[in-house]
Amino acid sequence: MAIRKYVIGYAGDGLRVAAVIAVLSMVCSVSTGLPADETIGQWVWFDRASLGVLPCILLSFLWRRGEKGMSFGTAVVWALMLLGGVEAVWGLCQLYGSVASRHSLYALTGSFFNPGPYSGYLAMTLPVCLHQWLARSGPAKNVAGGVALLILCVLPAGMSRSAWLAAGFSCLWVYGGVKGWKEQMAVWWRQHRKHIPVAVAIGLCLLLVAGWCLFSLKPDSARGRLFMWKMACRAIAEKPFAGYGIGGFSSAYADAQEAYFATGDYALWEEYVAGSPEYAFNEYLQAAVELGIPLTAGLLIVVAFCLWMGMRKGRLGLCGALLSLMIFSFSSYPLQLPVGIVTFPVLLWACVESGGRGAWLLFALLAGGTGLFRLQDDRQMERACREWANVRVLYRAGASRPVTEGYEKLYPVLKERAAFLFEYGHALHKSKQFEASNRILQEALLHSSDPMILNIIGKNHQEMGDYPSAEAWLLRSTHRLPGRIYPYYLLAKLYALPAYRQPDKFEKMKQLVLTKEPKVQSTAIRQMREEVKKIQMVTLF
């Protein structure tokens, strides 16, 4: 009887861990037939998996009749360790070449599209493993130590400074919490008060040296982040209270950057590192842009409260994971991905829940209700994305007419996807449906900061004979990303047209095309420069 009760108890706890893994396992979901950067397949996985959470929890209640069983926080710890181990092994297989990376430019991505978020996920899991290794004994200690070693083998290869900082600070905090550094520091403070200034000065010097080393590792990337944050702050200043709405970052950022470069008062390095990002690479700034400062501050207060509650309850591993995620969020975009959107609230709930059956029941109802509510729309979106992937083959082959017909059918479902709208508008441009192309591309501007949208709108106006409007749109493109040569080339061709001939402006654009230094030399740039020279020769003779 005792053995039976023991086995049933472990089975009940296993069901609870399985329920949490089902919700968080979207991180390991890879959908075939979809682009590598498409995440709708992960949402469909989450929707389906979450429907099984409530039956698992109810069954665990029946098997654990009259007993409390495993707490929600403990189940989250085990789920994160197991999933982190899977991701670490996945990354090791990619490094050794036995598993393909999901990005052509990087050897290491795990199940992610980019090594940055992948490294951030490992950095979030590492403090959980460290706490279990320090505080537990037996099988839990061995599993935690093994997963931690796997993560440490992979994390440096990701070359993500943000993940290194997140993992380092969070693990140091967990280690200090387990070893009682707070009490030791209080004693040291009383005994060595006179040495505090020297210790602080040494600590600051070490931080400055470490910061400089990390900056020197990828200086252009660091400057690019700083510039993005500067533009995001300018966007926040325009709407500090209401924000631009969820999904409004790209458009707000593009307008802020365009206005900044239009003044002409900027450093040359800013032109060089500027881009057209989808995200702010800082979740706090992105939240302030989209939600406004008051609501963002309110959300941060909630997060701080959950962290404080977790510390009071002694859940140092979970608090370490949350702290790592918050540090990583300062210079990356974990909450823009499905796994981050789901894992973040799970961590918050695991820090504050009381450990009873009510926490499990609420988790099961929320997860199952969310999955049930989203499933139909997400499946429709997934089918549309698969069809889009098929039509995209024709788009890249240049078959304009069947592409426009296929995109027209998909438009009602995919009308908020910037890449789809751009391709649809571009296909309409190629099929000479210029007014329709402009209508679709102006919708794309609400979801994207890509200056190519402005270029195509300008070309549409040029084809329709509206040369002043074409010039205005192309000038906007030069202000949005002044480092790109293509819009100057289009302006040079516009100014050379007999119906809109402007020799002085043409000469200015020609010099910019010929002398502006691009980020990367390419055949397209050489061809543009040669064509501009030929246009000049035709103009003279």
Side-chain angles (χ1 to χ4, degrees):
M1 180 64 72
I3 295 176
R4 182 173 177 271
K5 184 178 179 181
Y6 184 78
V7 171
I8 289 176
Y10 265 95
D13 289 343
L15 282 171
R16 297 184 180 190
V17 175
V20 178
I21 289 178
V23 170
L24 301 182
S25 63
M26 62 196 303
V27 67
C28 298
S29 170
V30 176
S31 300
T32 57
L34 290 172
D37 59 341
E38 179 55 60
T39 60
I40 187 60
Q42 292 186 347
W43 280 120
V44 174
W45 176 283
F46 166 80
D47 298 337
R48 290 171 174 165
S50 62
L51 296 179
V53 172
L54 185 58
C56 283
I57 299 306
L58 293 178
L59 189 57
S60 75
F61 287 171
L62 290 175
W63 284 8
R64 278 284 195 178
R65 200 176 311 166
E67 296 180 13
K68 189 175 181 180
M70 181 181 285
S71 69
F72 179 72
T74 304
V76 172
V77 167
W78 275 101
L80 286 176
M81 286 197 301
L82 294 174
L83 291 172
V86 170
E87 284 292 337
V89 171
W90 199 325
L92 282 172
C93 291
Q94 289 176 337
L95 289 177
Y96 283 104
S98 58
V99 176
S101 166
R102 303 199 68 230
H103 196 296
S104 59
L105 299 179
Y106 305 104
L108 177 67
T109 61
S111 64
F112 293 76
F113 178 65
N114 189 289
Y118 171 65
S119 299
Y121 187 82
L122 296 180
M124 179 187 67
T125 308
L126 187 59
V128 176
C129 298
L130 176 63
H131 179 251
Q132 292 297 300
W133 185 75
L134 292 171
R136 298 280 183 176
S137 60
K141 183 183 183 75
N142 296 333
V143 171
V147 173
L149 287 175
L150 287 172
I151 292 174
L152 289 174
C153 289
V154 178
L155 190 58
M159 295 300 291
S160 172
R161 296 158 299 176
S162 303
W164 296 347
L165 288 173
F169 276 106
S170 60
C171 287
L172 187 65
W173 181 85
V174 168
Y175 184 81
V178 172
K179 297 299 183 180
W181 280 8
K182 183 179 179 181
E183 293 76 13
Q184 295 178 25
M185 289 180 66
V187 173
W188 193 87
W189 172 269
R190 290 193 298 269
Q191 295 177 350
H192 304 281
R193 252 182 226 183
K194 295 180 181 179
H195 303 297
I196 295 298
V198 177
V200 171
I202 293 174
L204 288 175
C205 289
L206 291 174
L207 285 175
L208 287 173
V209 171
W212 175 253
C213 291
L214 290 174
F215 177 84
S216 301
L217 188 63
K218 295 179 182 178
D220 288 339
S221 174
R223 292 190 184 98
R225 300 278 173 92
L226 292 172
F227 181 74
M228 277 191 281
W229 299 345
K230 179 179 178 179
M231 294 301 102
C233 289
R234 290 175 68 91
I236 293 169
E238 292 295 320
K239 285 188 176 182
F241 300 108
Y244 296 85
I246 295 176
F249 168 79
S250 293
S251 176
Y253 179 92
D255 291 341
Q257 182 167 292
E258 187 179 321
Y260 177 73
F261 281 128
T263 63
D265 184 19
Y266 57 86
L268 185 61
W269 68 267
E270 292 179 319
E271 176 182 317
Y272 182 77
V273 301
S276 50
E278 292 182 69
Y279 317 117
F281 283 80
N282 185 310
E283 295 290 0
Y284 307 96
L285 291 178
Q286 179 138 355
V289 170
E290 296 184 348
L291 305 178
I293 294 175
L295 185 54
T296 300
L299 292 174
L300 287 176
I301 291 172
V302 172
V303 173
F305 172 77
C306 293
L307 191 59
W308 175 71
M309 285 292 294
M311 292 168 59
R312 286 193 62 187
K313 294 176 181 290
R315 297 167 186 173
L316 296 181
L318 294 170
C319 291
L322 186 57
L323 183 63
S324 177
L325 185 59
M326 293 176 67
I327 294 172
F328 187 66
S329 295
F330 269 106
S331 52
S332 193
Y333 51 93
L335 301 185
Q336 306 305 313
L337 303 176
V339 60
I341 296 171
V342 173
T343 305
F344 185 56
V346 167
L347 283 174
L348 294 178
W349 181 235
C351 285
V352 301
E353 55 89 21
S354 59
R357 291 190 172 189
W360 278 111
L361 193 58
L362 181 60
F363 166 71
L365 291 174
L366 286 175
T370 303
L372 188 63
F373 176 76
R374 293 180 54 100
L375 182 57
Q376 184 175 355
D377 290 340
D378 286 344
R379 289 180 66 183
Q380 182 183 18
M381 180 67 74
E382 184 188 32
R383 288 193 293 269
C385 286
R386 291 185 184 278
E387 182 61 28
W388 175 24
N390 294 330
V391 180
R392 181 180 274 179
V393 175
L394 299 175
Y395 165 77
R396 291 173 176 169
S400 301
R401 185 175 183 81
V403 168
T404 55
E405 293 175 355
Y407 279 37
E408 184 178 4
K409 295 177 182 177
L410 296 171
Y411 172 77
V413 181
L414 301 177
K415 61 183 178 181
E416 294 187 358
R417 297 205 166 218
F420 169 80
L421 291 172
F422 172 77
E423 292 177 10
Y424 187 16
H426 193 204
L428 289 169
H429 164 78
K430 287 184 175 181
S431 61
K432 302 188 182 303
Q433 301 179 56
F434 303 120
E435 292 184 0
S437 173
N438 279 346
R439 186 181 69 254
I440 296 298
L441 290 172
Q442 286 179 6
E443 290 183 33
L445 285 175
L446 301 176
H447 306 283
S448 173
S449 58
D450 188 355
M452 274 302 297
I453 299 173
L454 303 176
N455 294 334
I456 298 173
I457 293 176
K459 290 170 72 174
N460 285 337
H461 281 289
Q462 179 176 327
E463 292 292 337
M464 291 187 292
D466 187 359
Y467 302 125
S469 295
E471 179 183 11
W473 283 100
L474 293 174
L475 286 173
R476 281 190 62 186
S477 180
T478 64
H479 295 150
R480 184 165 291 190
L481 264 186
R484 296 278 178 88
I485 293 178
Y486 186 57
Y488 300 110
Y489 161 76
L490 293 178
L491 281 167
K493 291 182 68 178
L494 175 66
Y495 295 141
L497 289 175
Y500 199 64
R501 186 185 177 94
Q502 300 190 45
D504 293 340
K505 291 182 178 180
F506 168 79
E507 184 63 29
K508 181 180 178 181
M509 292 301 112
K510 185 199 79 167
Q511 290 302 320
L512 286 170
V513 172
L514 295 177
T515 60
K516 184 172 280 291
E517 190 66 27
K519 285 186 181 181
V520 180
Q521 293 287 351
S522 66
T523 303
I525 291 173
R526 289 193 294 271
Q527 290 175 346
M528 284 189 283
R529 287 174 171 171
E530 290 172 3
E531 187 170 349
V532 165
K533 291 177 182 178
K534 292 178 181 178
I535 294 173
Q536 173 69 348
M537 290 174 64
V538 170
T539 304
L540 289 174
F541 302 102

